[in-house]
Amino acid sequence: MKVKNLIQWLPGIISELISVGLCIIYAVIDGGKATMYLELLVSSLLPFAFPVYGVISKKPLPLILSVISAVFVFSACGLGSALGLYDKVLCWDLIMHGIFGFVCSLVIFVFMLRWNGTKLNPIGFMLIIFAFTMGIAALWEVWEYLADAVTGGDAQRVLESVALGKSPLADTMEDIMIAMAGSAVFFVTLIADKLLNHKIYLRICGFNGFEKD
């Protein structure tokens, strides 16, 4: 049991150690943005949220949630921001928002199941997941706007949009629409999972998600 409990915390521990390494790399290759260190160290705490919730609720969440959140944080903040893939690979930002839509929908799906969401009408169940995902995607755009206003950065890619001859608003709308597409992909996998007798999520989540209490 102790080994199983420790494994739940490993994604967060590894994520934080990688963020420290990325801080060192960033200091060597650039180091020009002081807030980058805070972004790396704070964002890498996200994988800890799931085992913490498991301890508080006494109902551990699937390990896959901590793993995919650690991978996402590394890809978005580590590779994207610290190592500059947002500037080097023009579609990296869209890729991250698409993955965000999928991951966010999966996380909300698991929490909805834990909160007796299966008692809802299936269409209502899926609409709530979609609405929450889109709401969080919109809040992220608000966060980027506020962060740019405070730090003078360009998280919303305004300068890039102007250079490409696009309206700066286009980046925000594209981000939200790509997150929508990522959420749609999640629903496709959910339908495929149902057709396969819930075998997909049984394997990756450790439970099929539709057991009766």
Side-chain angles (χ1 to χ4, degrees):
M1 182 63 70
K2 291 184 178 180
V3 173
K4 185 178 180 180
N5 290 337
L6 176 61
I7 290 175
Q8 292 289 327
W9 299 93
L10 279 181
I13 295 172
I14 294 173
S15 178
E16 195 66 31
L17 290 175
I18 290 176
S19 72
V20 172
L22 287 169
C23 284
I24 296 173
I25 294 173
Y26 179 72
V28 173
I29 64 175
D30 190 334
K33 186 179 178 182
T35 56
M36 181 61 67
Y37 304 102
L38 183 62
E39 177 183 338
L40 288 170
L41 295 174
V42 173
S43 63
S44 62
L45 294 175
L46 178 61
F48 284 114
F50 302 105
V52 167
Y53 174 85
V55 170
I56 294 174
S57 66
K58 296 182 180 180
K59 292 183 178 181
L61 291 168
L63 180 63
I64 187 66
L65 298 186
S66 296
V67 173
I68 61 175
S69 64
V71 173
F72 179 77
V73 166
F74 170 71
S75 300
C77 298
L79 297 180
S81 298
L83 301 185
L85 258 62
Y86 287 128
D87 297 322
K88 298 172 183 176
V89 181
L90 294 181
C91 63
W92 192 256
D93 184 50
L94 293 179
I95 292 173
M96 289 298 99
H97 280 279
I99 294 174
F100 167 81
F102 183 94
V103 171
C104 188
S105 295
L106 173 60
V107 171
I108 295 170
F109 167 71
V110 173
F111 274 98
M112 286 288 292
L113 294 174
R114 290 300 174 88
W115 296 336
N116 296 321
T118 49
K119 294 181 179 179
L120 299 172
N121 178 282
I123 295 177
F125 179 80
M126 291 188 289
L127 282 176
I128 290 174
I129 294 174
F130 181 75
F132 265 97
T133 300
M134 291 299 95
I136 295 173
L139 286 175
W140 179 256
E141 295 301 320
V142 172
W143 165 254
E144 285 188 343
Y145 174 81
L146 293 176
D148 287 348
V150 173
T151 66
D154 190 28
Q156 291 199 298
R157 325 300 292 179
V158 174
L159 297 178
E160 178 183 300
S161 296
V162 172
L164 294 174
K166 298 193 303 182
S167 166
L169 180 62
D171 178 79
T172 297
M173 297 310 298
E174 287 174 358
D175 289 347
I176 293 177
M177 288 188 289
I178 290 296
M180 185 185 301
S183 182
V185 171
F186 168 76
F187 287 118
V188 170
T189 67
L190 200 59
I191 293 171
D193 187 45
K194 181 176 177 61
L195 295 175
L196 294 172
N197 197 28
H198 310 300
K199 291 181 180 179
I200 298 175
Y201 287 103
L202 174 62
R203 291 180 179 178
I204 68 173
C205 290
F207 66 104
N208 65 42
F210 296 96
E211 301 96 332
K212 299 295 184 181
D213 293 331

